[in-house]
Structure formats: C-alpha cells, structure tokens
Amino acid sequence: KELVSYVKEFGDTRVPQRFTKNPAFGQWVNNQRSSFKKFQNGITSCGISTDKIQQLSNIGFEWRIQSSASWIDLERSEEMMENSQVGIT
C-alpha cells in the first residue's frame, strides 16, 4: 500500500534507499531489488516469491535502476526540497 501511495505522489517506484520520510520503506524497496537480483541468479531462498514479484511488477515496480547517478540526483533533490522548507512557517 505504501508503494502505491508513493507512486501516486511521485509517479514512479524509485524510492531512495535513504528516504527521509520513511527510512524503513526506502530500505524495504532496496531489499526487494536485491532479492530479485538473487532470484534471477537462481537463489530461490532469497526471500522473494514469484507471487510477490508479480504483485510488485503489476504496480510498475522498477527492478533495475539504470545508473547510480540517478539515485544520487534523486537523494540530492529530496534533500534540497527539505532544506528549502526549513524556516517556512
């Protein structure tokens, strides 16, 4: 449900690993990608099932992020937005 809410707000599933609004959620998304990579490499005891993969895919989950630079840019953008709101009353 949280992922669906994130998609509605941000338009994608590229949740930063250090998502300041909910750090545990950012880590969860990162864990899903890591588990999927292991699953693709034949490690079926990685904690993700084909059902979960299908459910996340149906939401539009992005299993691979094209470049690490996009994560850095995404995190910087998030930090800049937070910093710009500091002091606004």
Side-chain angles (χ1 to χ4, degrees), residues 49-67:
S49 66
T50 54
D51 287 340
K52 184 182 256 187
I53 291 168
Q54 187 61 50
Q55 289 172 347
L56 291 171
S57 293
N58 289 342
I59 296 169
F61 194 79
E62 297 173 66
W63 295 103
R64 294 186 181 142
I65 302 301
Q66 290 185 354
S67 74

Side-chain angles (χ1 to χ4, degrees), residues 11 29-30 32 39 44 47 52-53 55 57-58 61 71 76 79 81-83:
V29 169
N30 185 62
Q32 301 315 297
F39 185 85
T44 56
K52 184 182 256 187
I53 291 168
Q55 289 172 347
S57 293
N58 289 342
F61 194 79
W71 279 112
R76 285 185 186 154
E79 288 173 12
M81 286 174 44
E82 287 177 7
N83 291 338

